[in-house]
Amino acid sequence: MLKLSKLTDYAVVALVRLGQKSEVTTSPVLSRSTGIPEPTVAKVLKILATQGIVTSQRGARGGYRLAQPLEEISIAAVIQAIDGPISLTTCVDGGDCDARSTCGLGGQWDMVNAAIRHALSAITLADMKNHTVTDRLGGLHVPPMPDGPEATA
Amino acid sequence: MLKLSKLTDYAVVALVRLGQKSEVTTSPVLSRSTGIPEPTVAKVLKILATQGIVTSQRGARGGYRLAQPLEEISIAAVIQAIDGPISLTTCVDGGDCDARSTCGLGGQWDMVNAAIRHALSAITLADMKNHTVTDRLGGLHVPPMPDGPEATA
DNA sequence: CCATAATTGGACCAGAACAGTACTGTTTCC
DNA sequence: GGAAACAGTACTGTTCTGGTCCAATTATGG
Ligand code: FES
Ligand code: FES
């Protein structure tokens, strides 16, 4: 369905909320603050910690803190941290594609990937918080849901 | 992993190849021509037929043909035909998100979705075939794989 | 210095979604 | 009437996500 995992969605919410706190914050506190179930937010923070998005402090009085300001964290970075690399197709480098030899599309998918990454890298968590996303996108206007070509067939 | 399904990948390959044929083409022929396993390409074509991307001719001497020229078919249309609607987040309209009330991000995700759809709608199958993708994207240049912020942390 | 409590870290398990396959039915040409 | 090809459905195996549980670590208090 070309949707990112719910974990990523939660990660963005948690990070934005975390950016509003000035001190280290624990998972339970963040859970209460965001409304995300505690085990889930804990897992998300854990992953984000391994990816360096947030820094962690173990033990009592521990918690998490943003490793960078909200303005420096792009949506793409969060997605990559949770969902892994942004590669729309499986046949970018590995080569586990059956049609490799006869496909003829070569590395054209890379361009598509780049387009996606570009769009995602241009949006930071600060934009999400401040609702200033439109500024970065240059006022693109696409129909809310361009339905498939069945309308024309 | 924010990747589209392998079926979609196959669909693009099959459609581009189909666009190079002038007459109706059968699944076995298309399978041989693309290197995609026959049952899989048959399934893909079937789905594409229901979505109106290709027209089908039943019976002997039957086969598939493009419903529109390659230039008119966008990557987004193919993705929507196979994978369903392009909605990155689950909390766009349905509202099955736990953090709905406290999330505070409102409809900011819609902007991200629009950005993705825009990027995908700007690329047609003809662009994939002719390697003219860069023309549409306005010369965006992003690093091949912008690794996460762990580099700076 | 030791015991305790709080919190993160990592591993584990269940469920759902997906890819792939197979089969049966319908339509068309020869 | 027979053969060829699409249409639709159903099934199965696999992968991945989402969620849960237990172990390692550190600060605190006595
Ligand atoms: S290599 Fe996989 S589709 Fe071209
Ligand atoms: S409503 Fe789902 S994260 Fe905001």
Side-chain angles (χ1 to χ4, degrees), chain B residues 11-79:
Chain B
V12 172
V13 178
L15 285 172
V16 170
R17 188 55 53 101
L18 188 58
Q20 293 169 343
K21 311 264 188 179
S22 54
E23 275 310 309
V24 294
T25 311
T26 67
S27 293
V29 171
L30 222 42
S31 168
R32 255 181 300 279
S33 176
T34 57
I36 304 171
E38 185 171 327
T40 302
V41 68
K43 181 176 188 173
V44 169
L45 268 305
K46 254 179 283 190
I47 299 175
L48 292 175
T50 64
Q51 300 299 319
I53 304 278
V54 298
T55 59
S56 60
Q57 174 63 33
R58 297 183 65 153
R61 293 280 310 273
Y64 295 97
R65 188 177 349 206
L66 283 182
Q68 310 170 44
L70 243 45
E71 290 78 14
E72 298 292 331
I73 307 176
S74 69
I75 297 290
V78 180
I79 295 176

Side-chain angles (χ1 to χ4, degrees), chain A residues 9-10 13, chain B residues 91 97-100 103-106 109:
Chain A
D9 192 357
Y10 289 155
V13 177
Chain B
C91 48
C97 181
D98 304 345
R100 193 93 205 186
C103 127
L105 300 183
W109 279 114

Side-chain angles (χ1 to χ4, degrees), chain A residues 1-4 88 109 112 116 119-120 142-149, chain B residues 2-5 8 12 51 74-93 109-123:
Chain A
M1 211 232 279
L2 191 55
K3 65 165 187 58
L4 45 81
L88 263 62
W109 279 115
V112 182
I116 302 293
L120 258 34
V142 285
M145 174 54 70
D147 48 10
Chain B
L2 191 54
K3 67 165 187 56
L4 45 81
S5 65
T8 306
V12 172
Q51 300 299 319
S74 69
I75 297 290
V78 180
I79 295 176
Q80 286 182 23
I82 303 290
D83 274 4
I86 300 175
S87 296
L88 263 63
T89 51
T90 53
C91 48
V92 277
D93 57 348
W109 279 114
D110 293 341
M111 288 297 176
V112 181
N113 288 332
I116 301 294
R117 272 199 285 266
H118 178 261
L120 259 34
S121 299
I123 304 174

